[in-house]
Amino acid sequence: MEKKSIHEIVSTVFKALTLAMGVAVVVLSCLGSLETQTAVTLLGIGLSCAGISMLDKR
């Protein structure tokens, strides 16, 4: 079994958070229980995670 470095794990977590925030906004919006300000905040967090993941390429 191959050990992953901390860098690879953190990168995977940021990518997963990006996907999770997008899915959460879509699902909560479909359920009708999401305010606009909350949606923008969640998408902002997801976009920040995507940006960090893309900037940290080695």
Side-chain angles (χ1 to χ4, degrees):
M1 186 167 145
E2 182 179 326
K3 289 189 177 181
K4 291 190 175 189
S5 68
I6 297 296
H7 170 72
E8 291 172 338
I9 294 170
V10 170
S11 178
T12 303
V13 167
F14 279 132
K15 289 176 186 175
L17 275 172
T18 300
L19 179 63
M21 290 299 168
V23 170
V25 168
V26 170
V27 169
L28 290 173
S29 179
C30 288
L31 293 174
S33 63
L34 185 64
E35 296 179 11
T36 305
Q37 185 176 359
T38 306
V40 169
T41 302
L42 291 174
L43 291 174
I45 292 170
L47 186 59
S48 298
C49 290
I52 291 169
S53 179
M54 285 184 210
L55 283 175
D56 199 27
K57 297 291 180 187
R58 290 184 185 191

